Amino acid sequence: MAKREKSVMYVEEPEIGFWEATFVPAIVEGLRTTMKHLVSRETVTEQYPEQKPDLPLHYRGVHRLNRDEKDRVKCVACMLCATACPAHCITIEAAPAPKDWPDRDKFPQTFELDELRCIYCGMCEEACPVDAIELTHIYDLTGQTRDELLYTKDKLLNVFDKTRDNPRDPVRTGRGVLGPASEFQALPTLGPATQVATSDRSAKIGTAGVIESGTGNVTDGGARS
Amino acid sequence: MSELLITLLTIGLVVAAIPGVCNYLILLERKMAAWMQDRVGPNRVGPYGLFQPLADGLKLLLKEEVIPKHVDRTLFVLAPMISVFTTILALAVVPFGPVEDAPSWLRFIIAPGIDIGLVFIFAITSLAVYGIILGGWSSNNKYSALGSMRASAQVVSYEIPLGMSVVGIALLSGTLNLENILTQQAQGGILAWNIWVQPLACLLFFTSSLAEANRLPFDLAECEQELVGGWHTEYSALKWALFFLGEYTHVITISFLTSIVFFGGWHFPGIAEPDSAYMFAWLVKLLVLLTKVFICILLIMMLRWTIPRFRFDQLMELAWKVMIPLGLVNVVMVMFVQQFQLSRLWLVAGSVSIFAAWGFLSATAKRAHLSGGKKRPATHTTGHGHGAHAAGHGAGGH
């Protein structure tokens, strides 16, 4: 109890003087403030449909699926966005990449994103290893049916075509290039996320996700050729 | 032209003008509110939003009128009618122009020569609270009931200072007839305006009229943050509009009364004197009066966005501990001056000193309350008395 008393700070109510008790200075001051605003014609209002809002560059609106320099979809159907999505609004069906796409194994056969379900948190963008999915500045998304707002791969690529040259929507990284993950010749070893005993086999693996037999070279991991 | 025809014409004019005027006052209030908050305000319907009142009126007319199942139908329908009826009826004895100089085909007062004018107005406008009480009670809704309870307590309390504040005027003028009060001020010139001899009464009158009309900062009856909509929660469409028509008519009445009783009505030195004989003198006088009224309405609207709403106990405190005693003392002062045939200058000095004494008293009372009722541990003020501590804080705070 004693300790508590010490930690309590008592704030004195400011003393009321003669003028405060008459309310007059307060009312005069208040009227002066309102009058000041009344005569100054500055407004903070945006006349919305005519005057578009000036959105910050990090605004998160409708998604787009980026294209690479050959106008192919950048997405490699790794499912990281679908996994990261807290609203479960992304559905991807992966298929083996066509033979003339040597830089990847898979590509999305279908890519569906339910814009009504999305909470625009940007986790998919964070998760994407090849910078394929990005959120644009488009905020006035409307539709007459739910199906209209179920964005397919075509629609998402269309959004990219519409916004690729908009200065508000720069292709944020590696424009035209598939992305950092596609440039790996060999999969880098990430190493175990937690400390493990050196005798553990996960400490000895050479490549992530692949558990080799025998000795693994841990220190070699992460090198990009 | 016969008296009857003129009366009917005047009634028709007033009743037709009020809804339109109220509508545009609402637009003005919205615009003012917007400007004070650095917004634009309604600007979509017509140039500068000037047709907004028409659109609103049309909407309110065509909207579905919901009468909930659980209400007391008769009273529910009756309440808004009472609200409008009483406030418009109060306007009947208010001269809204120069009554003596009116053109032959018009009269600037519906009921001329009513000797109990002021009493009539107060009697009728306080009936308006029946509209609120019945509306709140018949809605059969707790929030509405609470709102109407507050309204009734408030109106009953503020009735007293309101009546008290004009008793002084009645004593000084020797009449309750509004036209006579106006004429007396006009004949005496600008120094005869009642504001000079009764400034305190003017303050009391204006404040308690705001409370009577349930305007901010006294709109506890419909305070949205606590009571949803207050007494009009269950009302919709035209019935809701009628309540607000009543409120705005009340504001207009207040403004007319303040201008007429305290600010000389249509009189203005040099422009509108009682012996002004030029053409259309009546029009000039009418415009002078309307300008005064308009300024008063603007002030009411500005106060709305300047002073925050009172808490209910503060509201009651203001009425019973401040305004009623002040009103009483003011009346006694006027009686004193009249009885002993003193100079009216004493009234000015008296009003100022009463106001000052009240400020001093409440400051002292507040100080005593602050230092007397304290039950705080002295651990944090070791070595200092409470008084010294409080004084130090007070000095630092200013």
Side-chain angles (χ1 to χ4, degrees), chain B residues 355-384:
Chain B
F355 189 74
W358 164 57
F360 179 71
L361 264 178
S362 58
T364 320
K366 190 78 188 173
R367 207 169 292 151
H369 177 75
L370 277 181
S371 57
K374 253 191 271 194
K375 285 197 191 82
R376 290 172 185 172
T379 46
H380 65 304
T381 56
T382 38
H384 293 284

Side-chain angles (χ1 to χ4, degrees), chain A residues 75-114:
Chain A
C75 177
V76 293
C78 67
M79 307 286 176
L80 278 180
C81 52
T83 312
C85 181
H88 301 303
C89 66
I90 305 179
T91 320
I92 307 173
E93 268 176 40
K99 286 280 177 265
D100 51 338
W101 294 18
D103 55 347
R104 66 187 86 173
D105 296 333
K106 296 187 289 179
F107 89 113
Q109 184 77 51
T110 64
F111 191 108
E112 275 192 346
L113 201 151
D114 192 344

